[in-house]
Structures are given as structure tokens and as C-alpha cells.
Amino acid sequence: MRVLVTGGAGYIGSHACQRLLRDGHHIVALDNLHRGHQQPMDLLKSQHPDSFDFIHSDLGDTETVLGALNAHNLDTVMHFGALAYVGESVEDPLWYYRNNISSAIGLLDACDQCHDGKGISRFIFSSSCATYGNPPEDKIPVPEDCPQSPTSPYGYTKLHMEHILKDYAQKRSIDDNPIALTMLRYFNVAGSDRSGMLGEDHTPETHLIPVAIEAALGKRESLSIFGTDYPTPDGTNVRDYVHVEDLIDAHVLAMHTVERGQVEAFNVGIGEGYSVRQILDSVKRVSGVDFPVHDAPRRAGDAIALFNNPTKIKSTLGWEAKITDIDEIVKTAYDWMKDHPDGY
Ligand code: UFG
């Protein structure tokens, strides 16, 4: 297939490009390099000179995106490009809405107008379990039909985008020109490509596993646990950590399985919840370093406990996480960060 990958220079987007190229697809990555990196783009281009192109652009630049969709005859869009920090979204919600919604509508305009107005055939959207907010007790582990009620502006940007995309898909069906729409609600994505080429390199870094690894590698003095009085077994937040390669598997399966006219949402998470303290124990085991940890107040916007009920994605797409051991997930992240102490 011929795929536009927005946010292709970012952590998850670059892993998607790598996998799709390995599978023999033609890929155009688009990224404004605000938080993405040129280096993985150069690495992928050197390995796949004939089937990979990188375009440095904002995804809201409809003309540029339209030009790319037409020039490369792209029929599928995987839309990863977004701001993705819960805490940051509370501090600067308008920036989040502008990036994650306004720019995405610019992208959708291009997806609608390309190929002489026929538009693209397939759209896969990176949604989030943050759209669920704090699920009611009888919805943990979380199934796809859990009420969606985000606790942060970030979560709202993802939920609003789901609605916008569903409305767009409906319009395409009314026009008798249906699109295949998949919304993948990620749980916490972690780890890096096991060949060691790609990794997670964020500035600022706020995600638990890389922050803890930075503490283990001596790049930070200590780590703060944001909230130790939650109603969970050890008082800290619980999350479901899915390996980035497994997450990309779900995209590939969706691309091949969901048909035009179908609108599907799937949760992507292993189905196992780990508390912040359990993650820190794992990073300490993997690194062999007992770095200092401090208790700190809760972080605004954090949900209490989120882990997946993977029944639907298993039965519909045949997806199952292959890397389920938390230490193995953490080790892939640790190995890359140890080998790349200054990131890319
Ligand atoms: N945490 C700490 N200390 C830190 C960093 C994080 O205690 O230094 C805690 C957080 O409070 C939270 C947990 O670790 O309870 C996980 O935090 P992350 O920042 O790693 O991840 P989030 O759960 O906030 O968000 C991530 C992605 C979102 C996605 C969400 C789904 O960034 O895009 O997972 O849960 F939507």
C-alpha cells in the first residue's frame, strides 16, 4: 500500500514507518520536526531510498499535504502527528486544541480533496485511552464501550477528533465513496524497536519509563511519584504499558482488515495494569541501579487506573501483544537510551 504517516519523525510514527517499509509498502512521512527528529528519517531513507520520502511540513498545511497525497498516489493515512502530554495539555489547552484538532482538520481537507476529489481510502487514527478518563469500576479493565469522559484537554482533543472523523466517514458513505476508518485507543506505549535503530527521544521527557531510565543512567538525580494516595493497591496510578512494536502490529492489522464503509474503534493495551511503583521496580531490576524516588503531589489531569480489556481487538483483528513481560519492555527502552545517552 501507499501510506502517508503524519508525525512520522516522532517516537511512534518512526516505528510505524520502519515496520511498513520492512513489509514492502511505499511510505511518505510528514512531520514539522517540532518534537520529531530528522535522524530516524535519514536512517530510514538510507535503508529504503526508493520507497521512502520525508516531507518537513505541518500537517495543517493542506496544500503541502494535498500535493504529497497526489504526487505519491497515497491511499492510506496513519495519523500520529499530535501533542501528547497530559500534564502539558492542562497548562496550555489552546495549544493542544490548535495542534491536535485545527491542524488535523487541515489534514482531513487534503484527505478529502486528493485524487480528483475521490479522497483517500483508509484512515487510521491514533486515539487514546485518555478519552475514557476515570472509567467506572465495572468498566475496569476497560472495554471499547466504556463511556468516554476525559480528565484532560489532551484526552478531549482525541475524543473530539474521534467525533470529527466519524462525521467525515459518514459523509463519505452518504457520497457513496466510503472510507475505512479505524481509531486505535492506545494505552501507554513503551519500549523501542528491538533492532536498536529507533528509540524514544522526547524534549521535554515526562513519560514514566524514560524518566525513570534517565534517573537510572544518572541523567537525573531522582524521580518524583506524582500521587501516592490514589485508591489503588499501592496508592500510585495504574497503567497498561504496551510495546511500541506490538502497537504498530495493531495498525498493520487494521490497515489490512478494516474495510471501506467500516468505522471501528479498538483499544490497544496488553490487558495488564502496573502501578507507578511496579514500573520503578522494573526499571531498577533492568538497570541494576537503585535511584532515589520521592513522593510528590498528584499531577493534574491524571486518571487513577487505566488498563485494557483486549477482547475486541483479539477477536476482530486477531491482535495479541507478543511482548508481555514488563522487564522485557523496559529493557528495550533501556538499551536504546544507554546506547544513545544524548538521544538521536
Ligand atoms: N509519573 C510519575 N512521575 C514521573 C512521570 C510520570 O509518577 O516523573 C506517573 C504519572 O503521574 C502517571 C504514570 O506515571 O500516573 C504514567 O505517566 P506518563 O506520563 O508516562 O503517561 P500518561 O499515562 O500520563 O500518558 C500516556 C501518554 C498519553 C496517553 C496516556 C494513556 O502520554 O498520550 O498515556 O494513559 F494518552
Side-chain angles (χ1 to χ4, degrees), residues 5 57 78 98 120 131 146 148-149 169 172 177 197 266-267:
V5 177
S57 165
M78 290 196 186
R98 200 175 310 118
I120 56 154
T131 60
C146 175
Q148 288 175 290
S149 179
R172 289 278 303 259
N177 177 27
M197 186 174 113
F266 299 103
N267 288 344

Side-chain angles (χ1 to χ4, degrees), residues 83-87 127-131 154-155 158 186-189 206-212 220 223-227 230 236-241 276 280 298-299 302-304 306:
L83 296 169
Y85 293 138
V86 171
S127 187
S128 172
C129 69
T131 60
Y154 166 72
K158 293 291 177 181
Y186 307 169
F187 284 69
N188 288 49
V189 187
T206 66
H207 290 121
L208 180 63
I209 291 177
V211 166
R220 294 179 189 250
L223 181 141
S224 299
I225 300 183
F226 300 138
Y230 284 103
T236 66
N237 288 149
V238 171
R239 295 286 183 275
D240 182 329
Y241 294 85
V276 173
L280 298 182
R298 293 181 178 195
R299 185 174 69 178
D302 277 341
I304 301 166
L306 282 168

Side-chain angles (χ1 to χ4, degrees), residues 14-36:
S14 59
H15 282 80
C17 291
Q18 179 190 53
R19 167 66 191 276
L20 292 166
L21 288 163
R22 282 180 182 162
D23 287 358
H25 301 288
H26 185 98
I27 304 304
V28 176
L30 184 112
D31 202 297
N32 62 9
L33 297 183
H34 172 64
R35 286 195 168 147

Side-chain angles (χ1 to χ4, degrees), residues 15 41 112 150-151 160 203 212 228 238 281 329:
H15 282 80
M41 302 294 86
D112 189 49
T151 54
H160 289 320
T203 310
T228 52
V238 171
D281 287 345
I329 293 173

Side-chain angles (χ1 to χ4, degrees), residues 83-233:
L83 296 169
Y85 293 138
V86 171
E88 188 179 67
S89 78
V90 177
E91 286 156 22
D92 199 345
L94 298 185
W95 185 37
Y96 267 67
Y97 285 112
R98 200 175 310 118
N99 264 275
N100 293 4
I101 297 182
S102 305
S103 295
I105 290 174
L107 165 72
L108 281 178
D109 278 329
C111 293
D112 189 49
Q113 293 164 21
C114 65
H115 311 320
D116 295 324
K118 286 204 280 297
I120 56 154
S121 308
R122 236 166 267 101
F123 196 97
I124 300 177
F125 174 58
S126 305
S127 187
S128 172
C129 69
T131 60
Y132 295 119
N134 281 314
E137 247 167 57
D138 63 330
K139 293 287 186 188
I140 299 179
V142 187
E144 285 79 356
D145 65 0
C146 175
Q148 288 175 290
S149 179
T151 54
S152 68
Y154 166 72
Y156 273 109
T157 66
K158 293 291 177 181
L159 181 58
H160 289 320
M161 275 309 297
E162 287 198 8
H163 289 302
I164 291 167
L165 286 165
K166 282 190 240 177
D167 288 343
Y168 176 62
Q170 190 181 21
K171 174 245 178 212
R172 289 278 303 259
S173 288
I174 292 168
D175 291 351
D176 209 14
N177 177 27
I179 187 171
L181 172 61
T182 309
M183 294 164 292
L184 296 176
R185 297 179 188 146
Y186 307 169
F187 284 69
N188 288 49
V189 187
S192 55
D193 126 61
R194 284 167 297 170
S195 74
M197 186 174 113
L198 303 176
E200 184 170 10
D201 177 6
H202 291 122
T203 310
E205 186 53 83
T206 66
H207 290 121
L208 180 63
I209 291 177
V211 166
I213 293 172
E214 285 181 1
L217 293 173
K219 293 186 70 188
R220 294 179 189 250
E221 277 181 15
S222 63
L223 181 141
S224 299
I225 300 183
F226 300 138
T228 52
D229 58 349
Y230 284 103
T232 58

